Every structure is written in structure tokens, then in C-alpha cells.
Amino acid sequence: MNTGYVLDQLRRGLETSLNHSDPAVRARAAAKVERWRSVLEELASGTLSVGSRTPLEEIPAWVTLEVAQGGFATGHLLAEGPLEPHERERLDSLPAPADEDATERSRLNAWFLGDEGQRELAEALRNGCYRVRIPEEGALLTVAWLIGRGEAERALELLETLAPLTDRLRFYPVPDPRPFSPSAVVRVQTVGTTVRQLDSVERRPRIARMNEALRVWNPLYDRAVELFLETVEGDLPHLAEENGELVRRPDGQGRVEGGWPCQHWPEGWHERARRLLRDYQAERQNHKLCGKPEHPKENFARLRGFLERCVADARSLTGRDVGSIRKILASYVTRHGAPGSERLRRVRDEQARMAEQPTMKEFAVLVANRLRTLPGDEGLGSLDLAGAPVREDESASLGIAPGRPIPPHLLGKVERCLEAPIDQLVERGVIGSGEVLATVLPQITSQVGAAGIEDPELRRLYTALYAAFRRRRSLLLLNLQHQVRFDELPWVEAIRPYRKNELGTRVLARQTLEQVSTLAIASFPQTLLPNKLIQELSALAKDADLRLPLVEEIAADIFMGTFSMKYLDAARAAARLLEGTLYARYYDVPTKYLLTLDDREKKWGKDTSPGFAELCTERAGAKRGRGGSVARNGTILEQAQILTTHNLAVLFEELKLAETLRPALPHLAERCFLWLVRQQTMKIDHWKAQLQMVKNTAYAWRQMLFFLSFVDPPARREFLDLAREHVEEQGEAFGRRFEPVLAGLEWVSAGNAFDASGRGGPKGIARRFLGWSDGRHWLFEG
């Protein structure tokens, strides 16, 4: 395994942890550095087997691992680690251990298996006053439920499985005074997470420096100017003007008119000057954000230096020094007005008003304090509390005027903990991608899976276990291995006989599958269904008793050149659905060949289709037997996505989504097109970002073609006209670069076909748009 990726992540984390201006970002980066350091140590020691379902020696696959970005196990177990406060409290109440070698975790696990502990677990099952944050924390609750139902033998079998790890892991839940109650609404994050985010809001440095200058340094500068103006003999110095324009000397500087300073010293002047200098030093001790007062070229700093010399010995000033003071005073009077003038008063009043404006930090503190009154591990029922205008009792402590509205930006942060139906959160933009949708979906699918359980206590426990399991991060796996499944948890397997897949449960699962699939496709039409979401859809399909060959996106850097049978099954479904359509003609999909292809070969203990892999390789133009570079792998995987439509055909065929979504399909295609044009017109300099952009826009193009394949000819012609018009609006340069892509769509829509090289039209200008290229992509040529 190449450690370059791990080292790069470690380097980037170190740079951020040392150099970022935000302390919260530095802290998060430091935590990431620690995780990547653990990964590197495990790799170096040989105790970490990258690519395996069991990457750590003697640790079963069902144990929840800490997993860093990219799927690397760090070597830490999430149910291990330091004792938490509730564990410390429990441990303090236990008698001294008879076995001196007993670990703190083994003592706690043993207590929960005793009579008193079992009674407490049974009561928790009854009233729901517990939380399961990681799956292991529900294991002994399952034991207690089995014993309470007379299933002692099954409970003992489960305990034998857990026994080797009871000295390390917590298999007991977190107590909570509030009952856990599954809900039909979801949230993206908890109130507690939102409060921490609000607490991390920092004052913007530029605004903080400006406010310091307005509140502290400008008044002191005014006092210094006023002191020197008292020493002027004659008119106040000012810059000469004619017809509203400054009169300049030959050297370009403004011509100064008026009297000269330092000509006489009013009574008490020196004492007032000393007081100003003392005030400045005192303020400087407490206000160090703005550096302008100390900058030697700034007028305030220069004037203060002259003031110090005048206090010490006015005779030390030279004629040049007095001339410099006169010019500073003239510039000040001309720009701001003379001290005591209406003009200067208006300027300073406006600046004071600006400086008194509450900052985003102050509003964040106010909203966070409101949310602190709510349970931190739950969601928010409405925005009424957080979004209410500033109250009288809040105004005094934070200096915000009563009645001021909360800034929309902060309410956007609060919305992330808002509890509402999924479709409403999508509409609000709180769920802004398929990835975020996948993270909240277990809050619903857990209840679907539990619907077949009659016992209410077990149904609640199952819901909590499922939601906790779906928070596990996926491992990097090779050789067609699959991620650990929920049913593989020993305590979930122990209660399997009590979960019945009855007709009502299957109907509920199918309805939820249809609703979620429709929502994901309609809300994010330009993106692939992410792997986490596919996992949830697969679980729903299983509960609905449907055998859907839903396929995951495979990373090009770990592709092993082989596809499991479900990829061929998905391609067959696509061939049945798309034969003769725009999609099939554009990509030259061999539908008849796919419908007759039926080969099977065992590899790494899995059923694979060598014929499907060979077909994808041929279509990618990749030579057989060559080593698998990332780019070469990417071209093959893209062909697999084309042939399978990456789950769209499977869902459209089984769930009849073409009928459900038919009125929206032209709009979905239009959204895909507008999105990809927007991406294509962004200025991107880094070559990696360019490649990512082309890949993503090619995926959006493919989704668009799929939707257009179910649109009637008049609507398709209307779409082509809109597309042509939109491209022309982007300017000549973009139109020239994108012309082969658009011409290709128009060419195939007119009933024509690309040649073997993927070209068509007059002089071969039309081209088939693909995202991956084993070399420089033609979009960047010239």
C-alpha cells in the first residue's frame, strides 16, 4: 500500500494546525493529525491490513473502528478510549474489585451483567431513557431483553461472542433522563453541535481592527490635532482648493495655506498633552488589533511623536518638523473639518454608529445562549426561539439594541438542527446534496426496518441500533469485499427471529424506497446517487423483498479490473429499459448483446462477470492486460456507469419512476444542463480541479440524457433550442470550446450516430462527451 496519500494528509493537517488563524480550525486539524499519525504508525508496524474487512489483528469485523478520510482504519476502536463521565460515576459506586487485574471496562461490563445491572437495563428498555451512539453500546441491552423473554441460551451465546472484548469496549448504553423516541422527522445535526458551531464563530479581523480604530484611536487622534491647533498663530492650516479641486505644488503635494503651529503654548497645554500620551499608552495595553497607531508613516503616529518632543523640549523641533506638523493639520482639517465643526461631528457620529453595530460574533453568542436551554442531543422543533428579535434582557449583556432581527446567515446555521420531514429540509436547502440526504435517511429507514418487530421495547432498541450503525464510516476494501452489514452485528443477529418481514412491513419499505428515490433524483438530478445513499436504498429494497442490483461507485485508484454480477444485472435492466432511446444511441449501448450476456466466474469467493468487464474495457479503448493506471481504470469504470446508468434504470424500471417523474423530466434535464454549463464556465487553474470538473459535468450530461430519453419529441426540441441559446449567452470563447458537445447531442437527436471514434456531423465536429481520458482531455486542447 502506497503511504503517499497518508503522508500528504498528515502534512496538510500539520500545516493547518500550525498556521490557520481560527483556533477552532487549528484544533480540528490537530485531531486529524493525531488520526493520521495513528494510521502511519499502524502501517509501519504491519499491524494494519489496508483493504481488509478486518484491518486490525484479532479485532472482529463487527467492531466499530475509527476510520480516517479515504477509508483508513487508525487502529483505535470507538467503544474504547478514556472513561466517560457516566462511566466514572458508575465506577465510583462499585466496590473494590476482587481481581486486581480487572480493567475498568471489564468491571463495568460485569456489573451490568449482575442482578442490579440487569434490573437497570430492563428499566431502561421499558422507559427508553438511554442513548446508543455507537452500535456496541446496545449489546448488553439486547442481552437484557433476551433474558427477560426467557432466551437465556441465546443470551449466553451472544455473551460468549462479546467476552474477548469486555475488558476494552463498553457494551452498555449511555443513561439519559429523557426517553428515546423515534420520530417521523429528521435533522442534519443536533442542537449541541449547532451550539458548538456558533461558539466557534470568530470576530472578523478586518472588522475588529476597523471598530478599534473608530472607537479608540480616532478620538485620541482628534485630541492630538486639537492640541496642536491651539498652538497655531493665524488661520487654521488647510489645503488650498480651486473649483473644488486641490491646488498642487510642482512636486504633486497639496499646497498648504493658513497659519503655523507651535507658535505659542496656552496655559495647561503641556499637562493636557502628557495626559493624552498617558491615555494612549493605557489604551495600547488593552487594544492591539489595529497596527496603524504605531505605523511610523501614519499621521497619528507622527503627530504623537512630535507631541512627545514638545512636552520634553519644544525647542528641539526644527523648521522642517513644524512644517510637517502644519501639513498633517492641514490634511486633517481639509478632509474631516475643524474640531467643533458640524462637519466633523457628523463624520464622527456616523463612525461611532458603525462601530457600535453588533458583530456576527455577538449575535452568535446570543443565539447560542438561547439554544443552550434545550437538550443538546435533540433537534429543534421550530426556529421561533432562535430567530426571535433581540429581547430587552439580552440587549444589556451583549450591547445589541432590543428588537434587532437575527442575521439570516446565523439562522442558516441553526436550520441545520431543525427537525422536519425530509422533503421540507431539501426544499429549505438544509439538505443540499445526496450525501447529506444519506446521512439523515437512517433516522427514517431505521423505523422501517423496525416495523416488523411486535415488541415495543425491542422495536425502539432496533431503531437506535440501526441509526448508530449507519453512522459508521466505510473502510477502504479490495477484492470485491463488502462493508460490514447491520445483520452481522452479533446482537442484531441474536434478535433476528423476532423481526418478521410481513406484508405491511414490505409495503412500508417499498413506499419509503419510492419516496426517497424520487426525492433524491428530483432534488439532485445532476449528481450520482452517493454510495451511502445506495446503502440505505439497498436496505429498504431488502425490507421490501425486492432484489434490486444497485451498484456503488468504485474508486478508480482501487479498481481491481473485475465487476460482481450485480453490475451485469444492472446493465441488463438498463438494456431492457433503454433499447432504441436517445441514451442508447448516444452511447452506442449494445442492448441486444447485454440481454444475452450470461457468464459467471468465481473470483475472491464472489460471482463476477468477466464478459461485462471485457466489454467495458473494449468500449474504453483500454488494452487488455495492461497495468491499471488511475486514468485507465477511470475510463473503464465510466463505461460501467454508462451501461448500468448507475442505478437510474434499475429504479425507474422496478419503481415505475418514469411515470412518477414524467412531468418533471424536462425540468430535471434542464437543471442538469444549466448546472454543468455553470461548472464549465468557472475559472479553474489547477489541473486536478479541471479533471474533476470534466468528470462531474460528464456525469451530469449522462443523467441529462437519461431524463431526455423519456421526454416526447416536442419537449426535446424545446430543450435543444434552450441549450443552444444558453451556450450562446456564455460568450464566443465558451461557445467555441463547448460546440463539439452540444453539436453531438443535436447530431444524435436528429437520428444520426457517432462513428467508431465517437465523432459525427460535418467535418466530425460533433463529439461524444465522456469525463475520463487516458491523457489530456480534448476539452482542454488548444
Side-chain angles (χ1 to χ4, degrees):
M1 173 58 64
N2 187 346
T3 58
Y5 176 81
V6 178
L7 288 169
D8 185 58
Q9 293 293 322
L10 185 61
R11 176 188 60 78
R12 292 166 62 183
L14 280 169
E15 288 179 355
T16 304
S17 67
L18 294 172
N19 301 324
H20 202 281
S21 60
D22 188 337
V25 174
R26 291 200 301 272
R28 289 195 295 271
K32 288 182 180 179
V33 167
E34 181 60 28
R35 288 198 291 272
W36 285 114
R37 187 189 61 77
S38 298
V39 171
L40 199 59
E41 285 183 354
E42 296 292 338
L43 284 171
S45 66
T47 57
L48 178 62
S49 178
V50 176
S52 169
R53 295 177 87 235
T54 52
L56 301 177
E57 294 178 3
E58 301 181 0
I59 299 298
W62 50 261
V63 173
T64 307
L65 308 176
E66 182 185 54
V67 179
Q69 183 179 347
F72 290 85
T74 66
H76 298 152
L77 315 182
L78 290 187
E80 200 174 19
L83 292 180
E84 298 191 359
H86 70 93
E87 294 177 287
R88 285 285 179 199
E89 184 178 350
R90 174 71 63 197
L91 202 61
D92 291 343
S93 69
L94 300 183
D99 181 3
E100 294 182 356
D101 296 328
T103 68
E104 293 172 317
R105 284 268 158 66
S106 65
R107 291 175 61 198
L108 288 167
N109 281 312
W111 183 84
F112 277 105
L113 290 172
D115 291 343
E116 190 177 349
Q118 283 292 291
R119 283 195 295 272
E120 184 170 311
L121 290 176
E123 178 63 14
L125 284 167
R126 186 191 65 78
N127 59 30
C129 291
Y130 62 85
R131 296 295 184 268
V132 176
R133 302 163 305 177
I134 52 177
E136 285 85 336
E137 292 173 344
L140 293 187
L141 279 169
T142 307
V143 170
W145 188 88
L146 290 169
I147 291 174
R149 299 307 179 276
E151 289 278 12
E153 184 176 349
R154 191 178 289 273
L156 286 173
E157 290 177 358
L158 173 56
L159 287 173
E160 287 178 6
T161 303
L162 303 179
L165 290 166
T166 52
D167 62 331
R168 299 177 60 182
L169 307 184
R170 56 180 180 274
F171 289 115
Y172 37 84
V174 180
D176 196 285
R178 294 159 294 117
F180 167 65
S181 179
S183 170
V185 295
V186 300
R187 61 175 182 268
V188 172
Q189 62 189 34
T190 63
V191 168
T193 300
T194 303
V195 169
R196 287 191 292 275
Q197 290 176 349
L198 291 171
D199 286 341
S200 70
V201 171
E202 295 292 327
R203 289 182 173 84
R204 293 171 61 182
R206 184 177 63 82
I207 293 178
R209 289 193 297 269
M210 180 191 73
N211 285 343
E212 183 180 282
L214 296 180
R215 291 172 178 169
V216 180
W217 307 125
N218 278 3
L220 287 172
Y221 183 27
D222 292 347
R223 286 170 59 188
V225 168
E226 194 167 358
L227 277 169
F228 272 112
L229 287 176
E230 290 180 24
T231 69
V232 172
E233 193 170 88
D235 295 336
L236 294 182
H238 59 276
L239 298 178
E241 292 182 322
E242 286 184 5
N243 301 321
E245 297 289 334
L246 288 179
V247 177
R248 299 191 179 278
R249 300 183 316 193
D251 61 1
Q253 297 292 316
R255 192 179 77 204
V256 179
E257 295 181 342
W260 288 78
C262 305
Q263 301 305 301
H264 61 90
W265 309 99
E267 185 179 352
W269 188 94
H270 289 80
E271 179 54 37
R272 284 183 284 125
R274 291 188 188 94
R275 188 181 311 125
L276 186 151
L277 293 171
R278 288 196 300 271
D279 291 346
Y280 172 82
Q281 292 301 328
E283 294 288 7
R284 201 60 189 162
Q285 294 298 316
N286 301 318
H287 300 92
K288 299 181 180 181
L289 295 176
C290 183
K292 292 180 70 175
E294 296 286 346
H295 196 286
K297 291 187 177 182
E298 287 291 328
N299 283 346
F300 181 29
R302 295 172 64 206
L303 205 60
R304 203 174 59 255
F306 290 131
L307 198 64
E308 291 171 351
R309 291 173 61 186
C310 289
V311 168
D313 182 5
R315 291 172 298 180
S316 67
L317 294 178
T318 66
R320 185 186 183 94
D321 294 335
V322 174
S324 296
I325 296 171
R326 181 173 182 248
K327 186 174 186 312
I328 292 173
L329 298 177
S331 297
Y332 177 98
V333 170
T334 302
R335 182 177 181 183
H336 302 296
S341 68
E342 180 64 19
R343 179 183 168 199
L344 180 60
R345 187 191 63 77
R346 287 198 305 268
V347 169
R348 294 309 188 213
D349 285 351
E350 177 61 20
Q351 289 178 342
R353 188 191 65 79
M354 291 173 56
E356 294 303 319
Q357 291 289 321
T359 65
M360 197 62 67
K361 173 65 176 177
E362 289 160 339
F363 276 113
V365 170
L366 184 150
V367 176
N369 289 340
R370 291 177 176 181
L371 295 182
R372 274 186 242 278
T373 63
L374 304 174
D377 61 347
E378 295 184 359
L380 196 62
S382 75
L383 296 177
D384 293 347
L385 173 65
V390 179
R391 303 190 306 264
E392 287 280 356
D393 59 311
E394 298 169 321
S395 172
S397 60
L398 292 171
I400 307 176
R404 287 289 298 270
I406 304 299
H409 170 70
L410 281 182
L411 288 182
K413 287 181 177 290
V414 176
E415 273 191 315
R416 291 182 62 78
C417 66
L418 183 66
E419 286 188 331
I422 287 182
D423 56 345
Q424 290 185 21
L425 294 184
V426 170
E427 186 177 346
R428 282 175 171 265
V430 178
I431 298 176
S433 68
E435 286 80 4
V436 178
L437 177 61
T439 64
V440 304
L441 194 55
Q443 298 170 48
I444 297 297
T445 52
S446 61
Q447 298 173 61
V448 174
I453 298 175
E454 295 180 356
D455 185 275
E457 294 179 6
L458 185 59
R459 188 163 58 242
R460 176 160 45 193
L461 174 59
Y462 182 96
T463 302
L465 287 171
Y466 186 91
F469 177 78
R470 286 306 187 197
R471 288 193 284 270
R472 288 173 55 135
R473 297 192 67 174
S474 298
L475 282 168
L476 186 157
L477 298 178
L478 303 175
N479 303 334
L480 301 183
Q481 296 177 94
H482 60 77
Q483 300 291 335
V484 173
R485 298 189 176 102
F486 182 55
D487 292 341
E488 292 181 68
L489 301 182
W491 46 100
V492 174
E493 170 61 24
I495 58 177
R496 182 177 54 80
Y498 296 94
R499 183 169 174 255
K500 299 172 182 174
N501 195 9
E502 298 175 341
L503 178 60
T505 303
R506 294 197 295 273
V507 171
L508 176 61
R510 183 184 178 98
Q511 289 175 344
T512 307
L513 177 63
E514 291 176 1
Q515 292 167 359
V516 172
S517 300
T518 302
L519 180 65
I521 293 169
S523 302
F524 317 110
Q526 73 277 4
T527 58
L528 302 180
L529 297 176
N531 287 353
K532 275 285 188 182
L533 184 56
I534 292 169
Q535 291 176 10
E536 294 302 321
L537 298 181
S538 297
L540 286 169
K542 182 180 178 182
D543 288 338
D545 207 16
L546 298 174
R547 295 179 59 84
L548 299 187
L550 297 173
V551 298
E552 297 84 6
E553 183 181 12
I554 303 173
D557 56 350
I558 64 168
F559 177 52
M560 307 296 288
T562 304
F563 294 98
S564 63
M565 282 300 297
K566 67 179 179 181
Y567 284 83
L568 176 56
D569 293 338
R572 287 175 183 151
R576 286 192 299 269
L577 184 70
L578 294 169
E579 188 170 11
T581 63
L582 172 67
Y583 184 101
R585 289 186 288 108
Y586 184 91
Y587 290 112
D588 192 22
V589 178
T591 54
K592 289 184 170 54
Y593 175 74
L594 285 168
L595 290 171
T596 58
L597 180 60
D598 187 17
D599 62 344
R600 192 179 299 265
E601 178 182 276
K602 283 285 185 184
K603 198 163 187 178
W604 301 303
K606 305 286 184 180
D607 285 336
T608 66
S609 173
F612 182 73
E614 184 175 343
L615 175 61
C616 293
T617 303
E618 287 180 1
R619 286 172 57 85
K623 294 181 180 179
R624 295 169 59 187
R626 276 187 58 189
S629 71
V630 172
R632 176 182 179 275
N633 287 349
T635 61
I636 297 170
L637 290 170
E638 184 171 23
Q639 290 300 320
Q641 290 182 343
I642 288 170
L643 296 179
T644 63
T645 71
H646 198 70
N647 302 304
L648 291 179
V650 170
L651 294 172
F652 267 59
E653 182 184 50
E654 179 62 42
L655 304 179
K656 306 296 187 290
L657 295 188
E659 295 304 317
T660 305
L661 290 170
R662 189 173 299 281
L665 289 175
H667 178 59
L668 296 184
E670 180 181 334
R671 286 174 59 191
C672 290
F673 184 77
L674 296 178
W675 181 87
L676 71 90
V677 169
R678 189 163 58 251
Q679 297 297 308
Q680 287 271 351
T681 52
M682 291 174 60
K683 181 174 175 55
I684 303 173
D685 295 324
H686 197 276
W687 66 272
K688 280 189 177 180
Q690 288 180 342
L691 294 178
Q692 187 69 39
M693 179 273 292
V694 172
K695 184 184 74 169
N696 290 339
T697 53
Y699 292 174
W701 183 262
R702 188 176 70 238
Q703 306 260 121
M704 177 197 78
L705 286 168
F706 183 90
F707 300 139
L708 287 176
S709 295
F710 298 93
V711 170
D712 57 37
R716 193 180 303 163
R717 285 194 295 272
E718 184 178 343
F719 172 87
L720 291 172
D721 291 341
L722 178 146
R724 172 61 66 181
E725 180 181 345
H726 188 63
V727 168
E728 291 174 354
E729 289 173 353
Q730 308 310 308
E732 183 179 350
F734 174 75
R736 187 167 52 251
R737 181 166 65 87
F738 199 72
E739 178 60 26
V741 179
L742 188 55
L745 175 59
E746 294 170 336
W747 175 253
V748 177
S749 295
N752 304 302
F754 292 120
D755 61 22
S757 67
R759 293 175 178 266
K763 298 181 181 181
I765 188 174
R767 300 189 69 161
R768 181 184 292 131
F769 182 28
L770 300 175
W772 282 92
S773 174
D774 196 355
R776 185 171 174 80
H777 198 284
W778 57 263
L779 268 174
F780 299 116
E781 291 176 355

